[in-house]
Amino acid sequence: MSTIDTGARRRTTDPRPVITDLIDGDTILSIAGDAWISLVGEDEVLVPLPGPLPGDILSSWVDVVGPWTGSVVLTTARATAEELSRALLRESAPEVLDDEDVADAFGEIANVVGGSVKAALPGPSALSLPQVGNAPLVRNPGDVCRVDVVWRGEPLTISVQGALPPLPVPSPTRENEVSL
Amino acid sequence: MRALVIDDSRAMRRIVTGILTDLGYEVRDAGHGGEGLEVLNEGWAPDLATIDWNMPVMDGLQFVSAVRSNPAWRRMTMMMVTSESEHTQIVRALAAGAHEYMIKPFTADAFRDKLALLGLLPQEVAL
C-alpha cells in the first residue's frame, strides 16, 4: 500500500517563523516614515533614537493573523498621542480633543502602519480593526522586532510582536542519537 | 462633482474630505458601508465613492457588492482607499465591482493622480 505524502507531518513539526526572520527594523522604520509623511505631514520625520517612555503611555495596535500571527503596536506618551492626533486632524481638530478623537486618530496610524507591515509578511493574512489602550503582552521575547524612534523630540516605539508563546524546545529522541 | 467618503476612522474621513474639497468636490461622509447606503437611498447621487475595506457593521467589499446589485447606482465610480494591500485583496475588490484601488498611506498628489486616471478631476482643476 502506498502512502501519499501530504506534508502535514512536516508542517506540524516545522518551527513557526519568528518576526525577525520575516522583517527587519529598517523596513519597519521605512514603513512608519511613509505613514508619517502621508498622515501627519510632509515635514514630519521619525528619528531612529532610543528614548525612555514615560509612565503615562498609550498604545494603538492592529492584529495580523496568517502564516505569522501577532500585533503591530505603537506606544508613546499619552500627551504625544494627543499631539499626534492633533497633527493628523490638522485644522479640523477640535479645540479640546476627547479620548475618542485620540483613539480614532492614533488607531488609524496603527492601521496604516500595520497594513504596510502585513504587506511585507508572507500571506494571506487578515488585519483586525485598530484598538487603543494597554498594549498586548509580549508572549515570546524571541518573536519581537521593535524600533525606537523620536517624533518632535518625544519617544515612540513601534513593536511587531508575535501573539503566540514560544514553541517547546524539542527533546532529543533515540532516533536522533548517534552511536559512537 | 460629488463624492461620498466611507471610512470608520473620522480622522481618515477628514483627510480624504479635505483633499476632495480642495479639488472642488461637494462631499458627504459615512462611518461604514451601511451608512453609505443610507446616503445613496436618500437620492444623493455621488460621482465618486471612496471606500475603506475594514469597517464594522458593513465592510467596504459588502458595500461595493450592494451598490453593484442596484442598477440605479451604476454610474458611480468606486475607489477602495484602504490599508489592505495584498494582491488577492485588490483582485477581490476589483472583481466585486470597484473601479480603482488606493493603498494607505497615500499623498494628496497620489490621490489626485488616481482621480485624473479615472477622469474625475473637476474641469477647472484638470486644466
Side-chain angles (χ1 to χ4, degrees), chain A residues 5-17 167:
Chain A
D5 179 7
T6 63
R9 181 195 292 259
R10 276 198 310 279
R11 283 196 294 274
T12 55
T13 54
D14 281 348
R16 294 189 306 255
L167 289 171

Side-chain angles (χ1 to χ4, degrees), chain A residues 52-60 73-81 106 132-135 146 155-157:
Chain A
L53 289 169
D56 188 17
I57 57 172
L58 189 66
S59 294
S60 64
V73 187
L74 274 58
T75 302
T76 191
R78 193 173 293 271
T80 308
F106 195 33
V132 177
N134 296 320
R146 175 178 150 153
L156 185 144
T157 67

Side-chain angles (χ1 to χ4, degrees), chain A residues 59-101:
Chain A
S59 294
S60 64
W61 69 94
V62 288
D63 298 327
V64 177
V65 179
W68 178 85
T69 292
S71 306
V72 181
V73 187
L74 274 58
T75 302
T76 191
R78 193 173 293 271
T80 308
E82 287 177 12
E83 191 180 348
L84 199 46
S85 302
R86 197 170 283 287
L88 192 131
L89 294 169
R90 299 188 182 97
E91 64 273 10
S92 59
E95 201 165 312
V96 179
L97 286 175
D98 60 25
D99 289 348
E100 209 177 318
D101 291 320

Side-chain angles (χ1 to χ4, degrees), chain B residues 6-81:
Chain B
I6 309 174
D7 199 303
D8 59 326
S9 164
R10 281 181 294 163
M12 187 52 70
R13 291 203 300 273
R14 283 168 177 157
I15 289 171
V16 176
T17 296
I19 293 170
L20 288 167
T21 305
D22 286 348
L23 291 172
Y25 271 86
E26 179 189 350
V27 181
R28 288 184 66 176
D29 65 9
H32 54 76
E35 284 185 5
L37 290 179
E38 284 174 20
V39 172
L40 298 180
N41 279 321
E42 287 174 19
W44 197 78
D47 303 282
L48 167 74
T50 70
I51 309 147
D52 186 22
W53 187 303
N54 293 312
M55 293 182 288
V57 187
M58 178 187 273
D59 69 26
L61 204 60
Q62 291 171 315
F63 175 82
V64 169
S65 300
V67 167
R68 278 291 160 256
S69 67
N70 186 336
W73 298 328
R74 196 163 284 163
R75 285 186 60 242
M76 182 174 70
T77 298
M78 291 190 285
M79 180 162 77
M80 302 296 290
V81 179

